[in-house]
Amino acid sequence: MAGGVPPARADRGDGHRSAGPARRRQTPDAAGGAAAGARAHRADAAPDRHHLAGRPAGNRQGGHPDLRQVVTPVPGPVRRRRRDRHPRARLPGPDPRRIAGRGPLRPAADRVAAGADAGGDLRPARRGAGPVARARPGRAAQFAAGRGGGPAGAAAADATEERMAAELALGRHGRLVAELAALVGRHPVNERLRGQYMTALYRLGRQSDALASFRDGRRVLVEELGVDPGPELAALYHAILRGDPGLLAPPSGQETRVAVPAQLPLAPADFTGRVLQTSELVAALTAEPGIQVIAGRGGSGKSALAAQVAHLVAAEFPDGQLYAELRGLSETPAEAGEVLGRFLTALGVAPAAVPAGIEERAELYRGLLAGRRVLVLLDDAAGERQVRPLLVGGSGCAVLITSRNRLGGLAGVSRTDLDVLDPAEAVDLLVRIVGADRVSAEEPVAREIAELCGRLPLAIRIAGARLATRRRWPLRLLADRLTDERRRLDELSIADLEVRAGFELSYRGLDAGARLALRRLGHLGVPEFAPWIVAWLTGAPEAEAEDTVERLVDAQVVDFSRVDDLGTPRYRVHDLVRIYGRERAEAEEPAEELAAAVGRVLGGWLTLADQVAADAPSDEIGWPRPAMPPSAVPPELVARVLAAPHDWFEVERPALVAGLERAAALGLHELVCQFASARLGPSFLGVNRFESRERINRAALAAARHAGDRHGAATMLAELGLLRYDQDRFPEAHRVLDEALGAFRELGDARGQAVALSGLGVICREAGRLVEALHFLDEAARLNELGGDAGTAYPRRLAASVRLERGDFPAAWSGLEESLAAYRRAGSRRGEGVTLRTMSLWHRATGQYGPAIETAEAARVIFGRLGDKLMEAYSVRAWAKAQLRQGNTEQALAPLEGVLSVCQAMGDRWGLGVTLRTLGELHLAGGQLRDAAACLTAAMEVWEGMDAPLWRARTERDLALLHEARGEADIAAALRERATKVFHDHGAREYGELTR
């Protein structure tokens, strides 16, 4: 017992205490080690003070010798323990079964009861015991006189105390408590009676009353006799204070029947996967038992994993395994007191001896498990408050908890978070349920079913059970039924297993704000999101939204995904949880409110897009934008986006695409069309974000047409044509832009016509139809004269590049100077960069290689600052080609290889072909004919799939030089002749260069 052995009282011969510990009261902590304390004080205590509650005070380190008498056989496995093999076996002191001095316990009780005079005056046990020996001079005589002295009274006192001790030893405390209360009331300084009364109260679960009785006794002793309670009563007080389970048990014989509960639930026969988690949990529970928490969403297989692990380690816990289903998120969660009662009964405590209060039950529970090796499995915990009373400490016992809550408030626990199964494990689980033959016959479909189930174990188990009970169903039939999101949760149900029911429990456990966020996240349907999405959906401040998201994470309905490159935490919702959230949203909220929430998200995105466009104006013709209502976008988020707009849009792109598609489906086509037509350069809707742009454009075009919005549909047609141009699908781009041009002419929209004409002009340029290209571009410039500097500069720069192709150098330079000035007036750094790059091409074409290198480098710097990797690579290629013309092949090689990597990474086929041709030229100039042939041949393969006759002809001209270097004059002549004809037919400047 903490605190060690208190010093013995030192009384001088004159009856006064010496200085030292004089008048020192025995506190609970100072009374530690009851047996040792008793020995330390026996110098001034009567011999019969060994027995307060009908037994020795006991050895506090070894436990109470009468503990196990309250332990009774229970159904189930029972193991006998010999006292000499149990940690509490070797106990000092007399045999408590001989407490009356002779004979067995029950006859002694009966004999004592027969001879006691319960109505007589009682003195303290055995004349020298109790406070009399310790009282101040004069008070001892007063005390004795007040008790009626004499042999008869002493005998009556002894008999009554011994009877109480015997009755308590037989577990009759319930019927003794009233009698003991009366006796203590008549004899308040009788410490033995008070100790017996305290013991009876404690055994009835009235711990606080027992402690109060001790305080009353101490007060009476001090006031009446001027002494503190003796060491045995103080030790009893301390034992009750700390809930010593030994106080509850009557004495036992040499052998004891100890209950060894075996309550573990069955482990699933088809348990699959979780190899790493299983091995880690087994290792942790066997190496150093403690508290392990398995957390995961509903249906993730927490209970199955816990049961599997518990059975694997059961042999390590020979004193038993306890199990409780806590029903954490149900309408009737298990109360900790209820579970403790079942556990105590399973551990052998007689039902009548189970304390009434939860604290007393917890104290007894921990005491019974002290020094034993028991595994406790607590399944489906609601939270920390529910499980705290069920936890046990020490080095022998282990607790394994499953919960949808991570139970972050529990200290000193280890946690295992369960996500979905990996793809192979998911299919393996399906195999275990359905059978290997059926799965192997339709293995791709099995993988599809696993993915449609979100690789959630419960969902896969249900899908497998449905197939197992429908032997004639092909797997494809179930896969097709699961594809419909509106029916998927209905399909994932069989008998009493239902995915939706598990989600319902989690949903009901959320607060109102978290439920709102989950509904609207499900309705929006984004695969990944940042907290600001929740802020926009719910109308809450971002800080509040962050707290809401974290509560959803704690509840295992939202998963933390990652910290993105900008340092923002991002989250995801499991597909099946998302579908459930959408169901609840459509069932609980008006459609108008849901659409408004999605509209706020699009408004936030548009606000950021406008900020990006304003910070770095585009080089293209912009669309007119209606005034947007103010959006609640915090300045901190705007600053974060502007600091790295391309990175932000790349991170946000999956959410943007899904959100815009959802908005289009809800009829918010105006907002979707505005975003789809935003001029964001390469940030998001620029070059080589083909799949994302395709999805957004398709959704916006369909929504505009469905709404009868002719202008919106024409705008989306023009954007689709520009997308086809970026995809190098020139014939299709021409057809779509021609359709858009007709629509804008019908609407009388000059700006829309200028956009379509500019697109048609650049397509014709790439296809080598240079005269037609100039026609379109000059008309676009004329229509857009009032469209602002950037709007005018765009078609003029493109027209200048066509004139450069035709060899009209003066007109080309004039157009480039006008464009550069206009872009600078508009503040468009991107426009300035693309114009400087075209100027570099002009300088190289006119033989001015120094200025060509300088302007290309200036363009590269601009694009590098803008974060436009593709145009930066194009500028490097222009610089390298000018170096090549000066004969600096070694300087140009490494930069060109870097350009090639960028084009490959971004899927830019046009840039890939041009760069391969340039590398071929470089190797040809250096005499590396084999490398030159490889590069030029690869470039020709690119051109074969594109409508790019001029670039094919330029590559053939280089191949002619290669064959000449090899001495293959005939092949070279044929290639040169074919290239010359193409240059002639398309009016390209190379025709004049070859025929001069």
Side-chain angles (χ1 to χ4, degrees), residues 3-20:
V5 178
R9 299 176 186 269
D11 291 341
R12 298 202 314 260
D14 59 0
H16 295 282
R17 301 185 184 186
S18 60

Side-chain angles (χ1 to χ4, degrees), residues 900-908:
L900 187 68
S901 296
V902 171
C903 294
Q904 287 174 333
M906 301 190 70
D908 178 21

Side-chain angles (χ1 to χ4, degrees), residues 19-69:
R23 284 285 289 164
R24 178 179 177 181
R25 294 193 178 183
Q26 185 93 357
T27 64
D29 284 341
R39 288 191 299 272
H41 287 276
R42 283 176 191 148
D44 57 338
D48 67 328
R49 295 287 302 275
H50 292 302
H51 303 284
L52 275 172
R55 56 168 178 79
N59 184 325
R60 279 296 172 268
Q61 293 179 348
H64 292 272
D66 56 351
L67 169 63
R68 295 172 203 73
Q69 195 68 5

Side-chain angles (χ1 to χ4, degrees), residues 8 38 94 149 181 269 276 280 374 409 446 460 505 551 649 733 755 806 848 855 864 912:
L276 177 61
E280 289 179 345
V374 174
I460 296 171
L505 290 174
R551 293 200 302 276
F649 276 108
V755 172
R806 288 174 55 82
Q848 303 175 51
T855 50
L912 187 64

